[in-house]
Amino acid sequence: MGRPDNNAYVKEYNDELLKVLQEEESTAMPVITEMNFGHTCPVFSLPYGAMAQIDCTSKTFSRVESGVEA
């Protein structure tokens, strides 16, 4: 999930996200918050359809393939 612009209301944003996950009984699903994509600065691209990996033990996120075909 992207972070709010200028980190405004980060706690409130994360609290609401947790409420939604609890309502949907999805709290076991890994979710990363406060990422620099969307309407933030700095920003990075997350291409649709590109494979990525979340490592919950080391708390890392990696794109494992390019977002464009060669």
Side-chain angles (χ1 to χ4, degrees):
M1 306 296 290
R3 66 174 172 79
D5 191 32
N6 294 322
N7 290 319
Y9 307 106
V10 171
K11 182 185 179 326
E12 293 85 350
Y13 186 82
N14 288 337
D15 289 346
E16 290 301 315
L17 176 59
L18 184 57
K19 284 181 193 177
V20 170
L21 292 171
Q22 289 169 338
E23 288 171 5
E24 296 298 320
E25 299 179 358
S26 298
T27 55
M29 178 177 59
V31 176
I32 300 173
T33 63
E34 302 176 44
M35 294 184 75
N36 289 327
F37 70 90
H39 301 281
T40 63
C41 186
V43 66
F44 70 89
S45 297
L46 284 176
Y48 289 110
M51 294 296 294
Q53 178 178 357
I54 298 172
D55 185 326
C56 295
T57 303
S58 64
K59 297 182 179 180
T60 60
F61 170 85
S62 304
R63 281 193 353 219
V64 294
E65 68 180 15
S66 174
V68 296
E69 294 184 30

